[in-house]
Amino acid sequence: MGIWNSFKGQVGRDTGKVVSNLIWKDKHASVYRRAEDRKQEALKLKKKQLEAELEQKQLDREYEAEKDERIYIEKLKNRIENKVREIDDIEIPEDRKQQILLMNRLILLFKSNPFKDDGESDITNAYPEAILTKYEHTLMMFETLYSDDEKIEYYRRQLGALKKQKMRGKYLRLVLGIVVFVLILLFFATMAYLQNNGYID
């Protein structure tokens, strides 16, 4: 009798726990339920820790990338500064033939290092600018020393061509953007005009 009564009591208690857990959730949870909750909390904590570690690794990668970019920009600046200094250090000769050779060399240098309109152009455009300036100074001296020379006109035309290349290189994207913007405005103005005058619905 004692075993049977004990068994019935245990079944009653377990059934009561199940019913109370269904009705009152974790407010009256059994030890087993609380143990399960602790496991869930531990898993959530582990997940948060992993997410924090991943986020920190991402931040570290971004920092390294920014650091690498800063190093690259510094190296680029130094390289361009050295090239500009090389151009500035060129002495303009007084000899006619040497001046012509120098102008020809500067023209080739300019064409192989044109002005650009990109993310690095604020740095890199200093080099073609130095080349163009040196060319202008050489031409001025050439005109002063050899004012009757038949080659003056040729080198003036070359200077004009180099300046046009500078404008195209520096402002091409800006000009294209303005042209596209104007074309879009014209398109909408034309459509509005046609619609207002009954040409289209």
Side-chain angles (χ1 to χ4, degrees), residues 8-199:
K8 283 195 298 182
Q10 185 63 43
V11 169
R13 280 191 299 276
D14 289 346
T15 305
K17 282 181 185 178
V18 169
V19 171
S20 74
N21 285 344
L22 286 172
I23 295 170
W24 288 291
K25 305 289 181 204
D26 289 337
K27 289 178 184 173
H28 297 282
S30 66
V31 175
Y32 175 76
R33 176 70 60 89
R34 287 194 296 271
E36 280 299 308
D37 286 347
R38 280 196 293 274
K39 282 182 187 176
Q40 289 297 322
E41 284 173 17
L43 285 171
K44 283 179 186 175
L45 183 63
K46 185 81 172 169
K47 186 182 175 186
K48 282 182 181 176
Q49 286 173 339
L50 283 170
E51 285 172 357
E53 285 173 18
L54 288 171
E55 191 177 342
Q56 187 59 49
K57 283 179 182 176
Q58 179 65 27
L59 289 170
D60 291 343
R61 278 195 297 271
E62 286 172 8
Y63 172 75
E64 286 299 320
E66 284 175 13
K67 191 169 76 175
D68 290 345
E69 190 175 343
R70 284 197 301 273
I71 291 167
Y72 168 76
I73 292 294
E74 280 303 311
K75 284 182 178 177
L76 180 64
K77 278 182 181 174
N78 289 335
R79 196 166 75 242
I80 295 299
E81 283 170 9
N82 289 335
K83 290 173 113 177
V84 167
R85 204 173 299 114
E86 284 173 13
I87 297 296
D88 288 342
D89 289 344
I90 294 172
E91 286 192 31
I92 301 171
E94 292 187 10
D95 179 66
R96 175 185 174 278
K97 187 178 178 184
Q98 292 301 316
Q99 284 182 1
I100 288 171
L101 287 172
L102 177 56
M103 285 190 286
N104 289 339
R105 179 179 157 215
L106 291 168
I107 289 167
L108 287 173
L109 265 177
F110 185 89
K111 287 181 177 177
S112 59
N113 297 278
F115 279 88
K116 293 177 183 172
D117 181 18
D118 58 23
E120 296 170 355
S121 59
D122 289 346
I123 300 167
T124 56
N125 282 347
Y127 185 51
E129 189 67 60
I131 296 167
L132 186 58
T133 302
K134 183 63 74 172
Y135 180 87
E136 285 182 284
H137 290 166
T138 309
L139 179 57
M140 281 169 58
M141 187 176 280
F142 187 73
E143 289 173 335
T144 303
L145 294 174
Y146 308 102
S147 55
D148 296 334
D149 198 295
E150 72 277 358
K151 289 192 176 285
I152 287 175
E153 195 54 42
Y154 168 76
Y155 287 109
R156 280 181 183 160
R157 285 199 308 272
Q158 289 298 311
L159 178 60
L162 295 180
K163 286 184 174 179
K164 282 180 187 172
Q165 284 183 23
K166 172 184 174 178
M167 295 301 288
R168 278 199 302 270
K170 275 185 95 170
Y171 304 112
L172 181 62
R173 280 199 302 182
L174 176 64
V175 170
L176 286 175
I178 291 168
V179 168
V180 169
F181 179 71
V182 169
L183 287 173
I184 290 169
L185 281 179
L186 283 172
F187 172 76
F188 282 112
T190 305
M191 293 302 287
Y193 173 80
L194 293 172
Q195 198 170 22
N196 288 338
N197 290 294
Y199 293 111

